[in-house]
Amino acid sequence: MRLRESLLSRRKFFIGSVLGGLSMLVAYVLNPVVRFLFHREKIPLPGAVKVAMSDVEAIAPNSARYFEYGHLPGILLKTERGELRAFSAKCTHLDCTVQYEPESRKFYCACHKGYFDDKGVNIAGPPPSPLLSFGMERQEDGMIISYQGGRKSKG
Amino acid sequence: MNYLKTVKPVMACGIFFLCFSVFKVPELLCQEPEDAMTIAVTEIKEEGYEPPAGLSLSDVENARKLTNKRIYGLAVLWLLILLVIFLVRIQARDDEKLYWKGYYSGTNKLE
Amino acid sequence: MIDLKKEINERIGMDTILGLARKKMVPVHRHSVWYYMGGMLLFLFFIQVVTGPLLLFYYKPSADAAYRSITEIMVKIPYGWLIRSVHHWASNLMIAIAFIHFFSTFLLKAYRRPRELTWLTGMAMFMVVLFLGYSGYTLPFDERSFFALNVGTDMPGTMPVVGQYVVGFLRGGEMVGPQTLNRFFALHVGILPLCLMAVLFVHVVLVQVHGMSVPLSVEKKTALKKEKAIAKPMFPHLLLHDLVNCLILFGVLVTLAVLIPSELGQEIDYLKPAPEGVKPDWFFLWVYQILKWMPTYLFSIEGEIAGIVGLMLVAGFITLVPFFNRKAQRNELSPFFTMVGVISLLAFLALTAVGYFL
């Protein structure tokens, strides 16, 4: 069956085409705005950082020091036996910076009470995964700490 | 003095929060920083790493230059603008016609 | 199915608003074209309100970072050059159209009873817009900004009594320095836009309350012919016309921004002499030209002081013109004020041209 007249009124057609044209224009104009807003600064992390041996030796056993890995906070732990471990200090839960508690020998995140043991493994609270551990290499004059050599420490 | 009835609890709340803030603040400020929590490091640059060059005025002048892409973008913009104007004109003409016939456009109802 | 139209109407009373809009009529006559300026200004203000905060995503308002951040916006950030240039050109167009709006209102005596308050709010906005334009120039903190800051913040110092306080307030110290930038930043992105928005709201509401003013000459003519004045509904007839205007304006704006992107001068060097031919923005050229022509002494008053005080008196007279023009208040033609308007318009154009080309 063929209808005698269009179901679409003339007005609706006009209004629809005006709105359609306008939205095309708006979309075209928004493109540069969105590109402008979503620009991302690329700040590369350093390949590795070096800590002087004298500084390493100055750390008391069972304590930790923060270090700058580019714009990433790192934490260098010296265990009671003198073993050195380096982790990213960013909690794996919501990116707060963790601190070392010598009494309990745990890393503690104050934001949501998350705990990691001295190997960086998440043991209590909300953190979903272990702290990212950095690669370490002993040289004559210092320790080389590198992100690339790092891995997620295993439980 | 009826309004005091409402003012009083509000004032009480205010004073309560004031006291609370006064007692709370020193407690927070009293935390002394622990000594020497950080350790100095030197960055080792990767091979072939070049620090990003600073931007100069000539870069700005380059960025201001008219390129084919910009002309093309401008042309598309004008095309879209003219299209919308064309469509708007059609509707406006229809509105006009209806209006002089005694209809209010948009509703098709008699005024 | 949910009737969205009905649901919305129930909550915000769309019908009432539409009913009001439907009743609003705009007179149509040979001077109608000046009615469009307000809509265009509103549109340009909207453009500024959008592009300004966009620039704030990357602009760093401190003396040591501002210039570099503008360089980055121009070079590194995708379409940064375009956004900045659109902001720049929109401000220029806004000031140009504000001048047209101002002169047309003045010449058609649209300020007469009962629209005095609309005129006063308009004048207030005019001043704010000029100051916004000026303060915007200072933010890149390049060479031009530096001299604009020095000259611009020096001038109010010649005002009697309050001058030195104003200078101190604007500079944040004895001299133009790093601290001045932060003051102008606060003014440009915070205080002035807020003031403008508040006054704009009053202005627009007043225009809706009073309706469009019909020029006396047109009123007289229709009265003589005893015919009903022609009027069209604002919505949708004139609104569609406004839309077309704004679309063309937008096209012109982007074209200007692409063909002549805004510039960036040399970085500030406090020890460098002023470059040859350093001039204020075009909208202040007339002031600049008047001050340049002022003799050192005018009737034993220092020329600069005489100039500034004279300009302030003129500004005061123009602002209060609805109260001076008694004839217009009685709905009589006032050719004297038309002459004043025409002469000021010609003087403004001539001084700007002289300032620009000489």
Side-chain angles (χ1 to χ4, degrees):
Chain A
M1 191 185 74
R2 208 167 157 233
L3 286 173
R4 279 273 194 74
E5 61 263 325
S6 167
L7 287 172
L8 193 67
S9 75
R10 190 171 78 232
R11 289 220 55 80
K12 274 195 176 148
F13 175 71
F14 287 158
I15 291 173
S17 49
V18 166
L19 290 180
L22 258 182
S23 43
M24 265 159 68
L25 181 64
V26 168
Y28 185 69
V29 171
L30 275 182
N31 170 42
V33 174
V34 170
R35 298 266 198 95
F36 177 85
L37 280 178
F38 283 78
H39 169 73
R40 277 195 194 184
E41 196 75 27
K42 285 187 198 77
I43 308 167
L45 283 174
V49 297
K50 185 182 217 170
V51 187
M53 215 34 132
S54 54
D55 288 340
V56 174
E57 275 155 15
I59 304 174
N62 193 24
S63 72
R65 296 280 181 274
Y66 293 106
F67 62 91
E68 279 176 24
Y69 195 85
H71 55 277
L72 192 73
I75 189 161
L76 180 63
L77 169 71
K78 190 183 236 182
T79 60
E80 216 150 355
R81 288 196 200 150
E83 197 184 330
L84 287 168
R85 292 171 195 159
F87 302 96
S88 152
K90 267 187 195 291
C91 176
T92 50
H93 177 221
L94 291 172
D95 284 357
C96 289
T97 301
V98 297
Q99 52 188 300
Y100 185 66
E101 281 186 348
E103 308 85 49
S104 59
R105 289 177 202 170
K106 281 173 192 156
F107 289 105
Y108 164 61
C109 177
C111 283
H112 305 96
K113 306 230 181 309
Y115 284 93
F116 303 87
D117 69 8
D118 59 358
K119 291 190 180 72
V121 180
N122 49 323
I123 45 172
S129 56
L131 290 174
L132 189 81
S133 80
F134 285 147
M136 308 268 285
E137 195 185 321
R138 183 178 285 268
Q139 284 189 346
E140 241 168 68
D141 51 346
M143 294 293 297
I144 305 283
I145 302 171
S146 65
Y147 180 80
Q148 275 81 359
R151 65 199 149 70
K152 297 256 174 181
S153 48
K154 288 180 197 111
Chain B
M1 295 319 260
N2 211 10
Y3 76 99
L4 268 181
K5 265 187 187 166
T6 39
V7 171
K8 268 185 194 163
V10 174
M11 277 174 73
C13 281
I15 290 166
F16 174 74
F17 280 113
L18 203 65
C19 297
F20 192 67
S21 63
V22 167
F23 289 124
K24 187 88 185 169
V25 167
E27 210 178 307
L28 284 170
L29 292 178
C30 275
Q31 288 185 350
E32 275 182 28
E34 284 173 42
D35 51 336
M37 285 172 66
T38 58
I39 192 165
V41 295
T42 46
E43 277 189 23
I44 301 168
K45 304 279 182 245
E46 273 181 76
E47 270 177 58
Y49 173 81
E50 278 173 46
L55 300 170
S56 69
L57 256 186
S58 60
D59 291 323
V60 175
E61 285 310 309
N62 273 334
R64 292 180 67 240
K65 269 193 196 128
L66 188 63
T67 58
N68 284 338
K69 201 183 148 207
R70 288 183 190 183
I71 295 173
Y72 173 74
L74 207 55
V76 174
L77 179 76
W78 272 110
L79 222 63
L80 282 169
I81 287 176
L82 292 178
L83 171 75
V84 175
I85 289 177
F86 173 69
L87 294 170
V88 167
R89 296 272 307 197
I90 293 178
Q91 167 158 16
R93 204 170 289 176
D94 191 48
D95 276 337
E96 198 89 340
K97 218 164 68 191
L98 287 171
Y99 180 66
W100 295 118
K101 275 186 193 167
Y103 287 89
Y104 186 80
S105 50
T107 52
N108 278 3
K109 262 184 228 154
L110 265 170
E111 279 208 319
Chain C
M1 216 181 88
I2 303 169
D3 186 354
L4 205 62
K5 218 169 171 180
K6 195 188 131 226
E7 297 292 324
I8 291 173
N9 188 26
E10 210 175 292
R11 279 156 186 84
I12 62 170
M14 270 310 274
D15 275 352
T16 331
I17 298 169
L18 282 177
L20 276 176
R22 196 166 298 173
K23 276 199 197 109
K24 187 180 160 149
M25 301 295 273
V26 176
V28 178
H29 47 77
R30 68 193 181 96
H31 289 304
S32 284
V33 68
W34 307 116
Y35 292 157
Y36 296 128
M37 298 303 142
M40 282 154 93
L41 281 172
L42 210 57
F43 174 70
L44 285 171
F45 180 64
F46 168 75
I47 296 274
Q48 297 303 65
V49 167
V50 172
T51 51
L54 282 178
L55 290 172
L56 284 185
F57 271 70
Y58 298 104
Y59 174 71
K60 298 182 182 116
S62 88
D64 18 282
Y67 183 81
R68 243 205 28 224
S69 69
I70 296 281
T71 318
E72 280 179 6
I73 288 173
M74 290 299 281
V75 179
K76 246 172 66 185
I77 317 297
Y79 293 103
W81 62 273
L82 182 62
I83 308 267
R84 177 169 175 246
S85 304
V86 166
H87 194 73
H88 165 92
W89 276 108
S91 84
N92 279 291
L93 288 176
M94 198 169 170
I95 291 166
I97 295 175
F99 266 112
I100 297 172
H101 195 43
F102 160 73
F103 275 117
S104 64
T105 312
F106 188 87
L107 287 171
L108 294 175
K109 326 280 183 317
Y111 48 73
R112 62 189 196 280
R113 188 188 294 264
R115 298 185 178 80
E116 296 95 334
L117 207 53
T118 320
W119 170 261
L120 289 179
T121 50
M123 282 306 287
M125 283 195 291
F126 196 25
M127 310 268 173
V128 172
V129 165
L130 286 177
F131 196 41
L132 267 169
Y134 164 66
S135 57
Y137 262 89
T138 63
L139 295 185
F141 221 50
D142 62 359
E143 221 172 46
R144 262 185 321 169
S145 313
F146 184 58
F147 293 110
L149 274 173
N150 271 307
V151 177
T153 57
D154 184 80
M155 276 209 292
T158 46
M159 280 195 293
V161 190
V162 289
Q164 282 317 305
Y165 296 101
V166 176
V167 174
F169 170 75
L170 288 174
R171 291 185 170 176
E174 292 288 303
M175 308 274 237
V176 172
Q179 79 287 354
T180 316
L181 176 67
N182 287 64
R183 295 182 157 249
F184 273 76
F185 176 71
L187 286 168
H188 186 81
V189 311
I191 295 163
L192 292 176
L194 279 178
C195 291
L196 187 59
M197 228 181 282
V199 185
L200 180 65
F201 178 75
V202 177
H203 191 78
V204 170
V205 167
L206 282 173
V207 170
Q208 304 314 310
V209 168
H210 295 309
M212 304 307 288
S213 151
V214 179
L216 276 171
S217 57
V218 176
E219 246 178 29
K220 291 245 149 72
K221 209 186 246 170
T222 44
L224 228 89
K225 286 184 185 166
K226 283 182 187 148
E227 47 184 35
K228 229 179 113 194
I230 310 168
K232 280 187 191 172
M234 171 73 193
F235 179 83
H237 295 232
L238 273 294
L239 209 67
L240 286 180
H241 216 304
D242 269 331
L243 179 63
V244 171
N245 287 339
C246 292
L247 284 171
I248 295 174
L249 185 64
F250 185 69
V252 170
L253 172 64
V254 177
T255 308
L256 282 168
V258 171
L259 296 184
I260 317 167
S262 43
E263 296 171 359
L264 186 65
Q266 295 277 342
E267 207 168 347
I268 277 194
D269 187 344
Y270 292 95
L271 297 180
K272 248 178 154 175
E276 198 59 48
V278 66
K279 277 178 192 172
D281 319 319
W282 64 266
F283 46 89
F284 281 134
L285 275 178
W286 58 287
V287 179
Y288 160 83
Q289 201 56 43
I290 288 173
L291 292 182
K292 215 163 119 183
W293 280 345
M294 271 285 155
T296 322
Y297 281 98
L298 193 75
F299 310 123
S300 76
I301 313 169
E302 214 177 294
E304 206 189 340
I305 296 180
I308 300 263
V309 171
L311 283 170
M312 281 170 69
L313 285 176
V314 170
F317 172 75
I318 288 174
T319 307
L320 297 176
V321 78
F323 308 104
F324 289 126
N325 194 347
R326 289 305 179 88
K327 274 189 165 171
Q329 292 292 30
R330 292 194 300 263
N331 269 0
E332 289 167 30
L333 293 174
S334 46
F336 169 71
F337 284 88
T338 311
M339 280 307 287
V340 169
V342 171
I343 290 171
S344 342
L345 175 59
L346 291 177
F348 165 71
L349 291 176
L351 285 169
T352 305
V354 169
Y356 190 82
F357 291 110
L358 295 187

